[in-house]
């Protein structure tokens, strides 16, 4: 995988807030991949999510985004694993939402639209509220996390049939590891069994 491929945004996790979590790849590895490294990249990501603010994001907005993303990640993993959410993440999210009210104002031309967010913080507030709605309602039951220990990406899987996150790299690494484990666990042929090598030469043919 090339550097450009690793830095490509992912929009396959099932919701905008989950795609925000995916802007940091291999989060739990020794070398995480930061896909929102600059305010310009954040602006690009928000544009592709149709959440471009009236004022372009700056460095403070980038740091605010990182902090919210990691708080949501902690809460998402706790939700999937059905354990109590981290108190610091709950406090961070509650404080953030309390500080950034973003009233719904609609417009209708060719389709129903919502007015653009005034700032990056307001765009993030919309994403955070989507996360809260999903994690506190029955939709939380469709959330799943990738079993790869360096990834643990959260995604939507309503049928419950997907094992890994949508990243092909995780599925590939997981399958290779599972194949090696099966091979290592395969029992050797017992002595005397058909095909076993007992060290004796075959009997001469008449």
């Amino acid at each position: 995988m090339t550097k450009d491929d690793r830095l490509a945004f992912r929009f396959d996790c099932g919701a905008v807030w989950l795609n925000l979590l995916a802007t940091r790849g291999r989060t739990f590895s020794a070398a995480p991949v930061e896909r929102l490294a600059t305010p310009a990249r954040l602006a690009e990501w928000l544009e592709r999510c149709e959440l471009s603010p009236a004022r372009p994001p700056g460095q403070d907005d980038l740091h605010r985004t990182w902090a919210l993303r990691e708080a949501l990640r902690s809460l998402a993993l706790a939700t999937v694993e059905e354990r109590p959410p981290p108190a610091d993440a709950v406090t961070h999210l509650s404080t953030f939402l309390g500080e950034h009210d973003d009233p719904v104002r609609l417009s209708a031309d060719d389709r129903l639209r919502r007015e653009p967010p005034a700032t990056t913080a307001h765009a993030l507030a919309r994403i955070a509220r989507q996360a809260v709605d999903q994690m506190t309602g029955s939709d939380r039951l469709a959330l799943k996390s990738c079993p790869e220990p360096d990834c643990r990406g959260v995604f939507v899987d309503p049928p419950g049939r997907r094992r890994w996150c949508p990243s092909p790299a995780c599925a590939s690494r997981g399958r290779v590891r599972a194949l090696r484990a099966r091979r290592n666990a395969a029992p050797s042929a017992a002595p005397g069994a058909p095909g076993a090598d007992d060290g004796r030469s075959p009997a001469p043919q008449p």
Side-chain angles (χ1 to χ4, degrees), residues 6-7 23-35 150:
R6 289 189 295 108
L7 294 179
T23 59
R24 183 176 171 89
R26 303 189 70 175
T27 303
F28 299 96
S29 71
V33 178
E34 180 56 72
R35 299 181 175 114
D150 62 346

Side-chain angles (χ1 to χ4, degrees), residues 50 104-115:
E50 299 186 6
V104 176
R105 296 186 177 89
L106 300 176
S107 62
D109 38 39
D110 57 326
R111 65 175 178 85
L112 186 66
R113 300 177 187 273
R114 184 174 178 180
E115 289 188 1

Side-chain angles (χ1 to χ4, degrees), residues 65-83:
T65 301
W66 290 343
L68 177 64
R69 179 185 63 189
E70 299 315 311
L72 291 177
R73 190 188 313 281
S74 296
L75 295 171
L77 289 171
T79 300
V80 171
E81 296 164 8
E82 299 183 335
R83 55 179 171 81

Side-chain angles (χ1 to χ4, degrees), residues 10-179:
R10 289 185 42 206
F11 298 97
D12 52 7
C13 296
V16 173
W17 75 278
L18 295 173
N19 293 336
L20 174 62
L21 303 190
T23 59
R24 183 176 171 89
R26 303 189 70 175
T27 303
F28 299 96
S29 71
V33 178
E34 180 56 72
R35 299 181 175 114
L36 293 180
T38 65
R41 286 284 282 174
L42 175 57
E44 180 186 349
W45 186 82
L46 289 171
E47 180 181 10
R48 295 185 63 180
C49 294
E50 299 186 6
L51 285 171
S52 292
R55 187 171 66 227
Q59 194 66 34
D60 288 345
D61 294 313
L62 183 61
H63 288 287
R64 186 181 293 113
T65 301
W66 290 343
L68 177 64
R69 179 185 63 189
E70 299 315 311
L72 291 177
R73 190 188 313 281
S74 296
L75 295 171
L77 289 171
T79 300
V80 171
E81 296 164 8
E82 299 183 335
R83 55 179 171 81
D88 58 342
V90 175
T91 299
H92 182 94
L93 181 56
S94 298
T95 301
F96 179 83
L97 289 174
E99 293 175 347
H100 300 97
D101 186 27
D102 182 44
V104 176
R105 296 186 177 89
L106 300 176
S107 62
D109 38 39
D110 57 326
R111 65 175 178 85
L112 186 66
R113 300 177 187 273
R114 184 174 178 180
E115 289 188 1
T119 65
T120 298
H122 288 98
L124 294 175
R126 296 186 188 185
I127 296 172
R129 288 189 174 88
Q130 182 193 57
V132 169
D133 287 344
Q134 187 150 22
M135 287 190 284
T136 60
S138 60
D139 286 346
R140 73 186 187 283
L141 302 175
L143 295 176
K144 186 179 288 188
S145 63
C146 183
E148 292 301 297
D150 62 346
C151 175
R152 299 179 68 195
V154 182
F155 56 98
V156 176
D157 181 32
R161 292 193 294 266
R162 180 183 285 277
R163 181 173 179 184
W164 290 279
C165 74
S167 170
C170 286
S172 176
R173 286 185 290 123
R175 291 190 180 102
V176 168
R177 188 170 55 254
L179 177 60

